[in-house]
Each structure stands twice: as structure tokens, then as C-alpha cells.
Amino acid sequence: MKINSKIKNYSVEMIDNLLERKDKIFSSLRYRRLFYLVDENFFSIYEKKIKEFIGEDFFYVIPATEQNKSYFKLADYYRVLVGNNFMRSDILVTFGGGILQDISGFIASTLYRGIKWIFFPTTLLAQADSCIGSKTSINFEDSKNLIGTFYPPDFIYIDSGFCRTLTEDYFNSGLGEIIKFHLMSDSKGYTLLKEYLSSSDLRDEGLLKKIILLTLGIKRSYFESDEFDSGRRNLLNYGHCFGHALESASNFKVCHGEAVIVGMGFANLLSLKRGIITKEKYDEFERIFRKHYPRFDLSTISVDALIGYLKRDKKRIGQDLTMILCEDIGKQIKADDIKESEIKDTFKEFAAKYKEN
Ligand SMILES: NC(=O)c1ccc[n+]([C@@H]2O[C@H](COP(=O)([O-])OP(=O)(O)OC[C@H]3O[C@@H](n4cnc5c(N)ncnc54)[C@H](O)[C@@H]3O)[C@@H](O)[C@H]2O)c1
């Protein structure tokens, strides 16, 4: 898949047994040395093969935590690369999910004002969503993704087989984004989503490859004409306004894509209360979300904390709160006039329904 970008065009390729295909990936590239940043859990699961893959090149293992994606940790990463003599003729190579991607992307866009970067996404969320779209994000104090740049990798290679070893929560997190994108596509996309979700092995590599490519195609259709997120791309925040607030208010106990599923459920309930979505559609989408809501006790979350985080949403433009509402498949609407009282009423109802889960 080719992606057009105002920064640099790049490509995504599906590849089986990536850890045995180093030659295919690097043989046509010119470089001095490779510098790898590797997710710690991924490294420990695939240690033998990844060490063979890396060979004599430099590598640095990073635990995938939101704390390690923070502004205050950046100095460590620059120090490691510069201290090991990273040069402009070298390539940064990343194995990991969205956290390693965000760290690497930010480093790649700023070190020497931009270096070459190859990304091997290892989580479903990174494979089906975050790997394309050019965003790099860094946390600042307790604000998530406050600092960032637009800087895509030069190449992305996806081995869907890596998803076999993901925990249930993180697999479900990737599914959250897959569901969101297909609800933002069209009736054909929605049917394909339902077919996929009804299969007995959601981690089947063939099925995953297909759904990942479909999802990336939907995402591309939203951002290629609005890479810098000033219009249509904003709609991709469906489920994210409430989802980000929930992630923060839960102290990141709920993982990103799972929070997005809850966020879509909340946005849909608000849409129902505003008369934007029909009860029939609402129930239909809720049946899908309900199967994938995280095992998390919403009653531990205070609505005031959620509202505090919603007020800090980057997409907010006025006094009121912002949320992407849903009318139907492919019909999401940005609402900038959500009142705090509406959030409070909807949350009360939502939390009560959620308990029935
Ligand atoms: N830049 C973007 O466009 C963008 C988009 C969406 C999300 N994000 C960011 O991505 C992050 C979430 O990413 P994520 O969901 O990929 O999570 P993650 O990077 O935190 O990884 C999830 C967990 O899976 C482990 N892991 C990684 N690969 C594995 C594998 N193959 N087998 C077993 N375990 C594995 C990690 O160690 C970690 O514990 C958030 O910080 C979010 O803000 C960025």
C-alpha cells in the first residue's frame, strides 16, 4: 500500500515471518549502520530470533509504558543514539506497538532535523491503525500526547503473526480501532467487519491480514487529504474524546483501543439522547461494543475527573466540550456544543447500563 504524504511518501507491506526476512527488507537500501529500538515484552518473547535478526547492529530495549513516552525521558533516547555515534547515514529501526512508534517517530523527526526510520509494528493497534498517518506523540506531565510532530516512517512492514502473542486486552484494544474505522466506512465495510468479528479465530493470520489492510485503507481515505488534522481527519476522534479522558482518569488501566470502544458507546448514547441516531442503530452498534467492552469497573471513575480531562481535549475550540457523535455508518459529526450537564446525565445512564455488561 502506498501512502501519499506532504512530508514524504511511504509504503506499507504485509510480510510473513518477518524475523526471517532481513535480506528482503534491507538489501535494496543504502546505509552505514542500523540502530534498533525494541519493545521490552516483544524482545523477551522473540529474543532468540530478534537477536539473530539484529546481528552486530546496535539495539536498545524500552519498556512500553506511557511514562517512557514522556518529554522527560527523551533526553535518555537522544543520549543513547548520539552517544553511540548515530550518523545521518544510519537508519533507526523500531519493533513495537504505538508507544515505541511514538517515541521513535518523535526522535526520528527531531534528531538532526530528521533521520531515516523503518517501523515494524508488533501490536494489532499499531498494525491496523497508528503505523500510518504521520503522527508522533509525546506525553507532558499528566497530559497525554500533548507534544508531537508529523513524521511518517520511510517503510512499514507488517507481520500479522506477531499478534498471536498479544495479551487478550491488547488484542481487544486493536479490535477497538478496527471497529471504529469500519463504523466510519460504508455498508460494505460494515458487512466485512461483522463477517470478521463472527469468525472463530480472530487471530488467524489470513483473516488478520485482510482486516488490517481494509482498516488501513479506510484510515488513508480520511487523512490523505487532511494530513495535518484540520478538517475531516478530526472525525477519526470518534470514541477518542471520552476514550482519552477515561484512559487518563483510570491512570491508564484501560488500554487505548479498549477506551475507544467505551468512548464510542458513550458518544452513541449521547447521540441517542440528542435524537441524532435511531434507537435501532444504537442497539445494533451497542451489541458489537458490548462484546468488547473491557473488564473495568466504571463506577471507580469520577465524572468530574472525566470532565476535567475532556476540558483539556486538543480538539476543543470554545467554552463547551467537544465530542464526535454518530448518526450512522460513515456518518460521524463533530459537536462543539456539549454541556457539562449533558456529560453528567449521560455518564450516569451509561455507567448504569455498563454494569449490565
Ligand atoms: N501515533 C499515532 O498515530 C497513534 C495512534 C493511536 C495510538 N497511539 C499511541 O499508541 C499507544 C498504544 O499503542 P499500543 O496499543 O500498540 O500499545 P503498546 O505500545 O503499549 O503495546 C501494548 C503492550 O503489548 C506489548 N507488546 C508489543 N508487541 C507485542 C507482541 N507482538 N506480543 C506480545 N506483547 C507485545 C507491549 O510491550 C505492551 O505491553 C498509546 O500511547 C497511544 O497514544 C499513537
Side-chain angles (χ1 to χ4, degrees):
M1 177 184 279
K2 299 274 176 225
I3 314 283
N4 295 314
S5 161
K6 297 221 165 40
I7 302 145
K8 57 185 170 193
N9 293 341
Y10 56 104
S11 64
V12 185
E13 200 175 310
M14 305 298 293
I15 185 166
D16 292 334
N17 304 317
L18 188 152
L19 291 173
E20 285 150 31
R21 312 279 298 279
K22 188 174 181 181
D23 283 352
K24 176 186 166 8
I25 296 169
F26 294 105
S27 59
S28 61
L29 301 177
R30 291 185 58 201
Y31 56 90
R32 187 189 70 113
R33 240 177 122 195
L34 302 171
F35 280 66
Y36 291 86
L37 297 183
V38 189
D39 176 294
E40 186 179 59
N41 286 328
F42 182 81
F43 185 80
S44 61
I45 296 170
Y46 297 87
E47 186 165 350
K48 188 169 175 287
K49 282 191 166 181
I50 202 159
K51 279 186 172 162
E52 279 167 19
F53 188 94
I54 292 172
E56 296 301 303
D57 283 313
F58 177 86
F59 71 96
Y60 186 63
V61 175
I62 303 176
T65 61
E66 290 293 334
Q67 290 75 15
N68 280 341
K69 206 182 100 170
S70 90
Y71 175 76
F72 301 103
K73 290 293 284 189
L74 287 173
D76 290 352
Y77 308 133
Y78 294 121
R79 204 172 286 124
V80 161
L81 293 178
V82 175
N84 284 283
N85 196 24
F86 188 99
M87 294 170 81
R88 286 201 63 125
S89 50
D90 298 329
I91 303 180
L92 186 69
V93 183
T94 307
F95 279 100
I99 290 193
L100 265 281
Q101 175 192 344
D102 273 340
I103 295 170
S104 310
F106 191 84
I107 297 283
S109 71
T110 49
L111 185 64
Y112 311 145
R113 296 194 192 84
I115 55 174
K116 277 216 180 76
W117 172 38
I118 296 178
F119 182 36
F120 302 135
T122 62
T123 62
L124 183 57
L125 182 133
Q127 296 188 349
D129 171 14
S130 65
C131 69
I132 63 167
S134 320
K135 287 188 181 176
T136 82
S137 304
I138 292 294
N139 304 329
F140 183 71
E141 296 184 332
D142 64 344
S143 292
K144 200 171 137 74
N145 298 342
L146 198 76
I147 298 170
T149 57
F150 288 95
Y151 195 77
D154 295 82
F155 300 99
I156 298 158
Y157 289 91
I158 298 178
D159 181 348
S160 58
F162 292 153
C163 294
R164 279 265 168 224
T165 51
L166 285 174
T167 61
E168 207 50 49
D169 290 355
Y170 280 107
F171 188 79
N172 201 33
S173 177
L175 283 183
E177 292 285 5
I178 289 174
I179 292 169
K180 179 201 80 176
F181 281 107
H182 283 80
L183 291 187
M184 298 187 70
S185 63
D186 52 23
S187 56
K188 191 172 161 221
Y190 182 55
T191 306
L192 290 169
L193 171 75
K194 285 194 292 187
E195 269 171 35
Y196 169 69
L197 291 178
S198 66
S199 56
S200 57
D201 180 11
L202 293 179
R203 300 193 195 215
D204 174 89
E205 283 171 44
L207 290 177
L208 266 183
K209 266 194 247 179
K210 221 170 116 188
I211 200 81
I212 287 169
L213 274 175
L214 286 167
T215 309
L216 292 176
I218 301 167
K219 179 166 180 180
R220 182 177 61 177
S221 74
Y222 271 86
F223 76 76
E224 262 189 349
S225 58
D226 178 27
E227 191 170 11
F228 303 124
D229 208 359
S230 53
R232 181 171 154 79
R233 187 174 183 174
N234 270 207
L235 295 177
L236 293 181
N237 273 299
Y238 178 38
H240 282 63
C241 309
F242 186 88
H244 277 152
L246 177 63
E247 269 183 281
S248 299
S250 74
N251 207 10
F252 300 105
K253 285 197 189 85
V254 183
C255 45
H256 180 74
E258 290 199 310
V260 169
I261 312 179
V262 183
M264 288 189 289
F266 184 85
N268 282 10
L269 183 59
L270 213 149
S271 308
L272 182 70
K273 286 162 80 70
R274 281 193 170 201
I276 291 172
I277 192 171
T278 64
K279 178 78 169 79
E280 193 191 354
K281 284 280 167 211
Y282 170 82
D283 286 340
E284 189 179 330
F285 297 158
E286 185 62 20
R287 277 195 291 277
I288 298 180
F289 302 150
R290 202 152 273 276
K291 283 195 187 140
H292 300 282
Y293 278 152
R295 289 178 302 254
F296 178 76
D297 184 3
L298 267 189
S299 66
T300 59
I301 297 290
S302 108
V303 70
D304 291 327
L306 286 170
I307 289 173
Y309 285 109
L310 283 169
K311 282 184 177 164
R312 283 150 72 177
D313 190 322
K314 291 195 288 290
K315 300 287 181 298
R316 184 173 169 229
I317 53 169
Q319 282 302 308
D320 294 329
L321 302 170
T322 293
M323 196 161 287
I324 310 296
L325 303 182
C326 179
E327 185 184 329
D328 201 345
I329 298 144
K331 286 190 186 163
Q332 279 70 23
I333 308 148
K334 187 169 182 225
D336 292 309
D337 60 348
I338 313 261
K339 308 281 177 227
E340 281 188 42
S341 57
E342 225 177 330
I343 298 285
K344 284 189 175 163
D345 290 349
T346 310
F347 186 70
K348 213 167 159 188
E349 205 175 308
F350 185 73
K353 278 178 190 288
Y354 196 86
K355 270 195 192 151
E356 297 159 10
N357 197 8

